[in-house]
Amino acid sequence: MNLIFFLVNKFFKSIFKNKSSRLPALISLFSIFISIFSIMIVMFVMKGFEIKVQNKILENFPHIIFQSPKNENISKLNELKNILKIDKTVETYGAIIINNEFSIVKIKGKTEVEEINNKKNDSKLPVVILDRNLFFQNRTNTTIEIFIPAPNTLKKIRKIDVFVGGSSNNSCNVPCIFIDYKTSLNILNKSESFYEVLLKNPFNSDITIKEILSIKPELQGKIIDWKSLNSNLFNIMKLERFSLGIFLFFLILISSTTLYSNTVSMIFQKKSDIATLISLGATNKQVVLVFLITNLLIALCGYLLGVILVVLTTYLLINTNLIEILNINLTFYGIEGFPIIFSLEYFFYISFFSLLIIIFATYLPTKNYLGKNIRNLINRNN
Amino acid sequence: MIEIKNLVKNYDNTSIKYSDYKIEKGDFVSIIGPSGSGKSTLIDLIVNFITYSSGNIYIFDKEISQYRRKEKNILMKRLGIMSSNSLLLSDLTVIENIKLPQLIHKNQIEESHMSYLINKLNIENLLLKYPMSLSTGQRQRVLLARAMILKPDILIADEPTSNLDSENTNNLIKCLVNLNHELKTTIIVATHDKVVSNASKRIFQLR
């Protein structure tokens, strides 16, 4: 049997058998376990939150928007592979009164509304569709009043009765109603239209923009995708995640100090064993490796326990209603499922840097005390 | 086999100067002297546990400082050491302690030699015990077995009979004499025990 693995096995077992060395070893083990668990869970929640926000944006907002004259021929753009649908839209701000309550809304002209108008409207009133949130707040009302406080084409405020045709799948960042693009209730200026583009793969929006610009170079400066529109939000989230990650890494640093002191105390406890090994002809390198591996094993046990708990917690949070134990009602926050995701990228980054710190914290004292200075350590006078 | 010339070891406030000695193959030498005369220091110097200030120590006709790292490893295999720096590892059983030099030097142990040592030193019943449960005399015998397990050319022992009662002292001395006779092992013992020095072939007196 190999000397190093034989002694590592013996020393590792004796650490947990011996009362005086068991407690410091357990403190090291658990501090690493807690650090790994905390940093991974927090980063996975942050990543899950970003994904949820991203999905919300992709669900509710167009992936690309561009502005073009009313009669522009855009049929060629439909031939682009990544484009799913192009919608014309016009928009302004107005106000609505429901149950005598007044609120400001965004009014958007959409082509989809025309279809609903033909199918459902028996009242001969112009049809509108409310955004999802607005619809669920006022689902009992079928007619509402709309005020247009400052329309582009009219000098005075108009009041229009409308028929609520249903709810849109989209929700807006401010309450909004969708109206028929063709008629636009005669309140919207349609000389210039916005085009909302939905993509098959929204993550390739920048490539699609390039393709659109190669077909219609005059759109330069008038086209924007969801990434650029929300770049500030994503940058802030990235910054938040990065700074949290940095601060949480201090936990690993702190736990590595316990590992450092544990290694030092083990070296001093085993001083006579070290002297014996050297006197029997063991090399400094062999002794260094024995202590390095033994203490690394303690740290690795902590790391593995942390990883197992992280995987288990992530699985439970994704697949069960565990979070409700904490009395957190997710529907209140308007999200489906707890925002957590097992990110392999983060898992590897955190593992790599944690293990690097752990190895460093164990290597430093072993090299320092058992390297060139080993004779000073084991000298009988010391 | 071992030659000491003009050897001096300086400490902060004092220095120890040794006379010249030559130890031949098959010798049984006792190094005696009062406390502080440098008996244990000489042992530590010979096994290169500490470095000397001036002079020379030749082991197997080569100056000890001239041994390279790998050669030192081979040298340690040829030396059996029983000193206060070489105790039993508390996490290992007696048999594991005895076999430790085999693991360090990756050597095969001759089973007949191991049985001979176990038998001669009367430690058959101790093999699966841990050092904590052994008496001082038993520990000394196990240490001697470990020092002799690789059939070293030279056995160096520092106060092997300290803390032993007269019966255990006599047993240990018998073992040393037997090993010197039967295996032709050169034995160097630092001791203040007259029973040990009387059993040796030559005595080096330190002042």
Side-chain angles (χ1 to χ4, degrees):
Chain A
M1 192 193 269
N2 182 295
L3 172 77
I4 292 164
F5 291 109
F6 172 74
L7 288 177
V8 165
N9 180 30
K10 291 285 171 185
F11 285 177
F12 186 73
K13 282 179 187 167
S14 90
I15 286 171
F16 292 99
K17 276 183 195 166
N18 189 334
K19 272 184 188 173
S20 63
S21 56
R22 191 190 301 147
L23 188 65
L26 284 176
I27 289 171
S28 292
L29 193 152
F30 279 104
S31 62
I32 287 164
F33 155 62
I34 290 164
S35 311
I36 292 285
F37 175 74
S38 313
I39 189 167
M40 279 194 182
I41 283 291
V42 170
M43 296 313 275
F44 288 179
V45 170
M46 298 289 288
K47 186 72 182 172
F49 177 70
E50 189 192 330
I51 299 285
K52 288 264 182 211
V53 169
Q54 199 170 280
N55 288 343
K56 276 260 177 202
I57 288 169
L58 291 175
E59 249 175 49
N60 299 318
F61 296 95
H63 305 152
I64 292 175
I65 300 171
F66 61 87
Q67 197 180 8
S68 191
K70 181 185 165 188
N71 296 322
E72 185 79 17
N73 182 7
I74 54 152
S75 56
K76 265 196 170 182
L77 299 184
N78 280 315
E79 290 165 17
L80 291 175
K81 272 186 186 173
N82 197 25
I83 289 181
L84 190 69
K85 189 174 147 194
I86 301 179
D87 250 347
K88 270 186 191 175
T89 180
V90 279
E91 64 179 51
T92 187
Y93 282 87
I96 55 171
I97 295 176
I98 306 174
N99 295 338
N100 293 324
E101 276 191 33
F102 175 91
S103 51
I104 299 289
V105 288
K106 188 193 266 185
I107 303 167
K108 291 185 82 171
K110 289 191 86 175
T111 47
E112 287 169 356
V113 180
E114 189 184 1
E115 293 161 25
I116 296 166
N117 196 10
N118 295 336
K119 283 176 193 170
K120 290 187 179 176
N121 189 6
D122 302 326
S123 64
K124 293 185 180 176
L125 290 172
V127 71
V128 296
I129 295 176
L130 306 186
D131 85 81
R132 200 165 50 190
N133 294 340
L134 200 58
F135 181 78
F136 282 107
Q137 283 163 20
N138 306 287
R139 59 197 319 166
T140 51
N141 294 286
T142 50
T143 58
I144 54 174
E145 289 175 312
I146 295 182
F147 289 92
I148 312 297
N152 291 337
T153 51
L154 299 170
K155 300 288 180 196
K156 56 183 180 182
I157 293 169
R158 275 178 61 199
K159 179 188 153 194
I160 306 162
D161 289 329
V162 290
F163 172 79
V164 177
S167 109
S168 164
N169 286 331
N170 297 347
S171 61
C172 305
N173 50 348
V174 292
C176 64
I177 59 172
F178 301 101
I179 59 172
D180 182 0
Y181 172 77
K182 266 190 184 171
T183 61
S184 294
L185 301 176
N186 297 319
I187 57 172
L188 299 175
N189 176 10
K190 293 194 292 173
S191 61
E192 273 242 322
S193 292
F194 283 100
Y195 291 83
E196 293 184 347
V197 184
L198 282 185
L199 300 177
K200 288 172 191 165
N201 180 3
F203 297 96
N204 285 344
S205 58
D206 39 357
I207 298 170
T208 311
I209 283 186
K210 276 181 193 165
E211 288 169 348
I212 292 172
L213 285 175
S214 68
I215 297 169
K216 286 196 165 292
E218 67 273 18
L219 292 180
Q220 185 73 48
K222 292 180 171 183
I223 187 164
I224 193 162
D225 67 343
W226 67 280
K227 286 182 198 167
S228 312
L229 264 173
N230 300 291
S231 59
N232 281 348
L233 175 68
F234 287 126
N235 285 339
I236 286 169
M237 280 198 286
K238 256 185 201 167
L239 180 70
E240 189 185 19
R241 213 164 52 230
F242 179 73
S243 37
L244 251 176
I246 294 281
F247 287 120
L248 282 171
F249 248 99
F250 283 117
L251 282 180
I252 303 269
L253 281 177
I254 290 165
S255 54
S256 68
T257 58
T258 66
L259 189 64
Y260 182 100
S261 59
N262 192 37
T263 309
V264 172
S265 78
M266 187 190 168
I267 288 170
F268 278 90
Q269 266 178 14
K270 300 265 179 209
K271 218 163 105 170
S272 68
D273 287 357
I274 295 166
T276 301
L277 288 168
I278 293 293
S279 74
L280 292 176
T283 59
N284 291 15
K285 195 178 159 191
Q286 283 173 320
V287 177
V288 166
L289 279 174
V290 167
F291 283 84
L292 182 69
I293 296 171
T294 308
N295 284 287
L296 267 182
L297 270 181
I298 296 170
L300 283 178
C301 286
Y303 167 80
L304 282 177
L305 274 178
V307 167
I308 289 168
L309 197 69
V310 164
V311 172
L312 198 72
T313 311
T314 311
Y315 177 83
L316 289 175
L317 283 173
I318 292 172
N319 295 298
T320 67
N321 295 327
L322 185 75
I323 199 70
E324 284 172 10
I325 293 170
L326 301 175
N327 223 3
I328 295 174
N329 182 7
L330 292 178
T331 50
F332 174 79
Y333 298 96
I335 51 171
E336 290 151 18
F338 188 71
I340 188 165
I341 192 165
F342 188 88
S343 162
L344 266 182
E345 184 196 4
Y346 281 177
F347 175 76
F348 283 123
Y349 274 132
I350 295 167
S351 297
F352 175 75
F353 285 111
S354 308
L355 291 175
L356 203 70
I357 292 171
I358 285 168
I359 290 170
F360 198 63
T362 331
Y363 176 76
L364 218 65
T366 45
K367 187 71 187 164
N368 192 21
Y369 289 101
L370 301 175
K372 285 178 184 170
N373 301 324
I374 196 163
R375 305 268 156 182
N376 295 336
L377 176 82
I378 58 181
N379 194 312
R380 81 180 77 216
N381 299 321
N382 292 335
Chain B
M1 206 162 222
I2 294 182
E3 195 175 354
I4 292 160
K5 274 186 179 173
N6 307 320
L7 192 65
V8 177
K9 173 67 185 170
N10 292 327
Y11 288 104
D12 290 341
N13 303 321
T14 178
S15 83
I16 304 169
K17 200 172 176 186
Y18 294 96
S19 308
D20 294 353
Y21 302 112
K22 202 169 181 183
I23 300 164
E24 299 297 343
K25 188 173 168 47
D27 245 342
F28 185 163
V29 175
S30 287
I31 301 166
I32 59 166
S35 292
S37 59
K39 298 188 292 293
S40 297
T41 303
L42 183 61
I43 295 290
D44 284 351
L45 287 168
I46 292 171
V47 300
N48 202 23
F49 224 80
I50 53 174
T51 50
Y52 47 81
S53 309
S54 65
N56 302 99
I57 299 174
Y58 296 91
I59 300 182
F60 304 116
D61 301 323
K62 191 170 183 177
E63 219 292 324
I64 200 162
S65 59
Q66 300 298 310
Y67 279 93
R68 290 178 192 166
R69 194 176 286 184
K70 277 190 179 174
E71 289 174 327
K72 254 183 197 168
N73 200 258
I74 297 164
L75 172 69
M76 296 307 280
K77 202 165 85 179
R78 297 180 72 183
L79 302 179
I81 297 163
M82 221 185 133
S83 78
S84 53
N85 277 323
S86 186
L87 306 174
L88 296 173
L89 269 63
S90 56
D91 302 321
L92 273 57
T93 60
V94 165
I95 188 69
E96 286 167 341
N97 264 293
I98 291 173
K99 287 181 173 177
L100 194 58
Q102 174 214 4
L103 278 177
I104 292 172
H105 298 288
K106 293 168 191 158
N107 257 41
Q108 282 297 316
I109 293 175
E110 283 178 32
E111 286 299 321
S112 57
H113 177 63
M114 192 162 76
S115 306
Y116 168 82
L117 287 174
I118 290 169
N119 195 26
K120 277 274 176 209
L121 294 165
N122 194 23
I123 52 173
E124 294 99 329
N125 302 329
L126 311 177
L127 297 179
L128 297 177
K129 288 187 176 178
Y130 282 89
M132 289 293 279
S133 62
L134 302 183
S135 67
T136 315
Q138 288 170 330
R139 279 185 211 172
Q140 292 293 72
R141 279 184 279 149
V142 175
L143 280 172
L144 182 58
R146 188 179 68 188
M148 291 302 296
I149 195 73
L150 294 181
K151 285 189 177 176
D153 295 309
I154 306 168
L155 172 70
I156 300 168
D158 184 12
E159 302 285 6
T161 56
S162 61
N163 303 319
L164 292 189
D165 56 30
S166 57
E167 191 190 339
N168 276 317
T169 303
N170 287 332
N171 285 341
L172 197 84
I173 289 166
K174 265 185 202 168
C175 288
L176 291 175
V177 172
N178 277 343
L179 292 169
N180 181 244
H181 269 280
E182 292 170 22
L183 300 175
K184 306 291 175 213
T185 310
T186 306
I187 297 175
I188 303 167
V189 183
T191 184
H192 63 275
D193 193 338
K194 282 194 175 169
V195 186
V196 180
S197 53
N198 290 340
S200 60
K201 292 176 183 170
R202 291 200 293 156
I203 295 172
F204 293 162
Q205 171 78 49
L206 302 184
R207 290 172 211 289

